[in-house]
Amino acid sequence: MSKERTGGIRLHRGAPRSTEESPLSTIVGLVLAAGGGRRYGGPKALVRHDDGRLLVERAVATLREGGCTRIVVVLGAESARVRDEAQLGDARLVDNPAWKSGMGSSLRVGLAAVAEAETEADAVAVAVLLVDTPGIGPDAVARLLAAAGGSKALVTASYQGKRGHPVILGRDHWAGVSTLATADVGARAYLIAHADQVQAVPCEDIADDTDLDVPPEQ
């Protein structure tokens, strides 16, 4: 199987691809949870939300309940503590040694982890969710999954006309996304460059993608 090296990460080229609408089981959930939460005061993966769950636990549950049967979580800051304290079921945990460089490196690590795993060889897309967006629930994930096609999918949630999360990235785009994912940009640059291919799915009626940058006022 041929591979392409993109941004220092080897992405498999040649896994099964389909241009037809893909079963939900072939869309892998991808949680980006590696950040150190400098402005928050610590890794947001370990922040306990109002419902009592850690934010990383909530993100994994959101993807699972929204329809993703397989989930990969990218860890970085205090990875060992997250692994020890978080109850993440059968989610596959991978580490981003370069987490301090920003979210872009975590996205690259996550895409490579899915692309290179035998267990996800049939994956045609990933559904990306940030760990610090607890206002996004399973309904938004399910809505995007229902709109996603196969390996060519580029689907984002939108809020009052503005693109947000979750984001579904078809396999055909992973190499390109990885090339442009730097610092804290994530997939944004690639989505802008391919705006004519992006399908925006309104989700403001069921979700809020505001991220938790700082702790709530006491």
Side-chain angles (χ1 to χ4, degrees):
M1 180 180 296
S2 64
K3 297 181 181 179
E4 177 177 332
R5 181 174 293 276
T6 306
I9 295 174
R10 299 168 73 190
L11 296 180
H12 282 260
R13 304 294 298 273
R17 298 183 178 185
S18 171
T19 57
E20 302 297 326
E21 185 173 355
S22 59
L24 297 187
S25 63
T26 62
I27 300 179
V28 176
L30 178 58
V31 178
L32 303 186
R38 180 177 56 83
R39 287 195 292 170
Y40 202 94
K44 284 179 271 188
L46 291 167
V47 171
R48 201 163 292 281
H49 192 56
D50 295 342
D51 62 6
R53 291 181 293 181
L54 299 178
L55 286 182
V56 68
E57 294 172 342
R58 183 182 178 92
V60 168
T62 293
L63 287 172
R64 184 175 288 122
E65 293 167 16
C68 294
T69 60
R70 291 172 291 176
I71 298 169
V72 172
V73 182
V74 181
L75 302 177
E78 298 198 42
S79 170
R81 185 180 163 199
V82 176
R83 290 172 181 269
D84 184 57
E85 297 183 16
Q87 303 298 313
L88 302 176
D90 60 356
R92 186 160 67 92
L93 310 183
V94 297
D95 287 320
N96 173 18
W99 63 266
K100 290 183 179 178
S101 66
M103 181 177 59
S105 64
S106 291
L107 181 57
R108 293 197 305 271
V109 166
L111 290 176
V114 177
E116 296 179 355
E118 300 258 338
T119 54
E120 279 113 36
D122 62 336
V124 299
V126 293
V128 183
L129 184 64
L130 305 183
V131 74
D132 60 353
T133 53
I136 297 174
D139 288 346
V141 174
R143 185 175 289 183
L144 261 70
L145 293 185
S151 60
K152 297 183 182 299
L154 278 181
V155 184
T156 74
S158 68
Y159 302 87
Q160 304 298 332
K162 182 180 178 181
R163 286 199 299 264
H165 286 85
V167 176
I168 294 182
L169 303 171
R171 183 182 281 268
D172 287 1
H173 302 285
W174 293 355
V177 169
S178 293
T179 298
L180 297 181
T182 59
D184 279 321
V185 171
R188 188 188 321 142
Y190 188 86
L191 294 173
I192 291 173
H194 297 80
D196 59 331
Q197 300 176 46
V198 178
Q199 178 182 1
V201 178
C203 288
E204 61 268 9
D205 60 319
I206 55 174
D208 178 358
D209 77 334
T210 302
D211 60 339
L212 300 180
D213 274 343
V214 296
E217 295 183 5
Q218 301 299 323

